């Protein structure tokens, strides 16, 4: 019978998608197979994947398949999958154990390096503890490579792993929000934590400088003011600096954090 694969964040969204996608005959119904469960990690919503198969009602009856497994609106197991699905819980426990094993085996050298850095700095211990707990609870494939102090109140946390793309997000938006969230927590209120992976920040800086020059040239050519997307304070500073090298231009930050953004305009315009 016909099969389709749909991506949805929750039960209601999936039900709506099924109702729009399928046209069932009187003697037909459908059954759902979960290919991947949905996840939510901080600001990240990762959609689940579901295989929808159209089947004959008579076939279901002859094979003695329960109706609550076929229609989502009658599936309590689907709603409470993490509590009642033993197999899924086993996978979660296995993932947790795998993360712990990674820390014990694969990252022993990193742990030693971080421990040496933290001998005279309690903040590094606090940061390491927070990120360890976050990684395990979020069930993501990420590990701590190093934590080091850059100046009196700034710390660099270097992470790596297959799931870093989720933590970074599109154009670094999720990473910026994550860093902003860390800055608002009580335990880190007096320090600044910067998170990086595989020199992403360096690559992002190059991209921002290219963007600043491109937009700056457009303003000079057309005379029109250009508004950029919201950025972190660090990214706005990079744009400010790069535009300052271009004669006849000025920049201004507008709005409130975390949605503060930049505008670029010709120097003869008034703010």
């Amino acid at each position: 019978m016909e099969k389709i694969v749909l991506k949805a964040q929750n039960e209601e969204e999936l039900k709506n998608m099924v109702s729009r996608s399928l046209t069932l005959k009187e003697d037909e119904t459908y059954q759902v197979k979960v290919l991947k469960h949905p996840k939510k990690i901080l600001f990240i919503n990762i959609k689940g994947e579901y295989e929808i198969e159209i089947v004959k009602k008579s076939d279901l009856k002859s094979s003695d398949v329960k109706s609550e497994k076929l229609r989502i609106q009658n599936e309590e197991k689907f709603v409470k999958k993490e509590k009642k699905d033993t197999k899924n819980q086993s996978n979660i426990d296995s993932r947790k154990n795998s993360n712990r094993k990674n820390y014990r085996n694969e990252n022993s050298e990193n742990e030693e390096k971080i421990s040496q850095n933290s001998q005279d700095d309690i903040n590094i211990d606090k940061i390491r503890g927070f990120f360890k707990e976050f990684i395990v609870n979020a069930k993501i494939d990420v590990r701590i490579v190093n934590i080091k102090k850059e100046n009196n109140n700034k710390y660099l946390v270097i992470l790596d792993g297959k799931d870093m793309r989720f933590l970074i997000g599109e154009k670094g938006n999720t990473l910026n929000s994550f860093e902003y969230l860390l800055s608002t927590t009580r335990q880190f209120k007096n320090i600044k934590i910067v998170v990086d992976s595989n020199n992403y920040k360096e690559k992002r800086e190059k991209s921002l400088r290219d963007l600043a020059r491109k937009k700056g040239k457009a303003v000079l050519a057309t005379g029109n003011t250009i508004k950029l997307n919201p950025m972190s304070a660090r990214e706005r500073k990079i744009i400010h600096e790069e535009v300052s090298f271009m004669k006849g231009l000025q920049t201004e930050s507008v709005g409130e954090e975390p949605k503060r953004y930049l505008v670029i305009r010709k120097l003869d315009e008034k703010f």
Side-chain angles (χ1 to χ4, degrees):
M1 299 296 290
E2 181 183 354
K3 294 182 180 180
I4 61 173
V5 175
L6 299 176
K7 294 184 178 182
Q9 187 58 47
N10 51 48
E11 176 195 14
E12 183 178 358
E13 182 180 359
L14 182 59
K15 286 165 57 178
N16 291 335
M17 293 177 69
V18 169
S19 65
R20 294 195 304 267
S21 304
L22 299 184
T23 302
L24 300 175
K25 299 178 182 178
E26 290 186 2
D27 63 338
E28 291 180 337
T29 184
Y30 64 88
Q31 59 184 7
V32 178
K33 179 180 179 182
V34 181
L35 303 178
K36 184 186 297 184
H37 290 298
K39 290 183 181 180
K40 184 172 184 180
I41 307 172
L42 289 179
F43 314 95
I44 314 163
N45 290 316
I46 305 174
K47 291 187 176 183
E49 292 186 8
Y50 308 91
E51 182 182 85
I52 314 299
E53 180 180 11
I54 298 177
V55 294
K56 296 286 187 181
K57 292 180 180 179
S58 57
D59 293 339
L60 294 176
K61 185 176 181 181
S62 62
S63 61
D64 197 28
V65 179
K66 295 182 180 180
S67 60
E68 64 266 24
K69 291 183 179 179
L70 309 175
R71 287 196 175 275
I72 302 173
Q73 58 267 39
N74 296 324
E75 284 186 357
E76 290 188 0
K77 289 185 178 181
F78 180 79
V79 179
K80 300 178 180 179
K81 56 186 175 300
E82 290 190 358
K83 293 183 179 180
K84 293 187 177 182
D85 193 329
T86 304
K87 183 178 178 181
N88 187 48
Q89 186 62 49
S90 176
N91 290 336
I92 293 172
D93 292 339
S94 176
R95 188 65 175 272
K96 288 182 179 179
N97 291 333
S98 177
N99 281 336
R100 294 190 183 103
K101 185 177 180 180
N102 285 337
Y103 283 118
R104 289 195 302 268
N105 300 330
E106 297 179 8
N107 299 307
S108 58
E109 293 182 3
N110 294 333
E111 288 288 338
E112 182 179 352
K113 185 188 300 183
I114 297 170
S115 297
Q116 290 174 352
N117 292 341
S118 65
Q119 287 180 357
D120 300 318
D121 195 334
I122 192 173
N123 285 329
I124 291 181
D125 285 332
K126 289 166 58 178
I127 294 169
R128 176 174 54 181
F130 170 86
F131 275 87
K132 275 190 172 185
E133 183 178 0
F134 164 71
I135 290 168
V136 171
N137 290 336
K139 308 179 189 71
I140 54 177
D141 185 356
V142 171
R143 65 183 182 276
I144 304 171
V145 176
N146 196 12
I147 302 174
K148 58 185 179 181
K149 187 175 183 179
E150 294 201 319
N151 55 39
N152 290 335
N153 68 338
K154 183 178 178 181
Y155 293 82
L156 175 63
V157 180
I158 301 176
L159 305 176
D160 196 11
K162 294 180 180 179
D163 291 339
M164 274 305 302
R165 65 188 187 279
F166 299 126
L167 196 56
I168 292 173
E170 185 179 0
K171 296 182 180 179
N173 290 336
T174 303
L175 189 59
N176 291 337
S177 298
F178 183 42
E179 291 178 343
Y180 177 75
L181 179 64
L182 289 174
S183 70
T184 63
T185 61
R186 181 178 300 178
Q187 64 187 121
F188 300 134
K189 66 178 181 179
N190 295 321
I191 62 176
K192 178 177 178 59
I193 298 176
V194 176
V195 182
D196 200 3
S197 177
N198 294 320
N199 295 321
Y200 171 79
K201 291 290 180 69
E202 182 180 336
K203 297 172 186 175
R204 176 63 174 163
E205 178 175 341
K206 181 181 183 302
S207 175
L208 288 170
R209 292 190 183 279
D210 290 343
L211 175 68
R213 289 192 294 270
K214 178 181 178 181
K215 296 299 183 182
K217 289 178 182 179
V219 172
L220 289 173
T222 64
N224 296 328
T225 297
I226 290 181
K227 171 185 171 182
L228 302 181
N229 292 327
M231 298 178 183
S232 65
R234 173 184 173 277
E235 293 187 338
R236 293 197 307 273
K237 182 179 179 181
I238 293 171
I239 299 290
H240 276 302
E241 182 181 274
E242 194 63 30
V243 172
S244 70
F245 298 142
M246 305 177 71
K247 292 183 179 180
L249 295 176
Q250 58 186 351
T251 56
E252 180 190 19
S253 291
V254 180
E256 300 295 330
E257 298 289 3
K259 295 184 178 181
R260 197 164 171 80
Y261 62 91
L262 279 176
V263 292
I264 305 175
R265 50 167 55 89
K266 295 188 73 171
L267 192 59
D268 56 356
E269 292 187 31
K270 294 183 179 180
F271 285 101

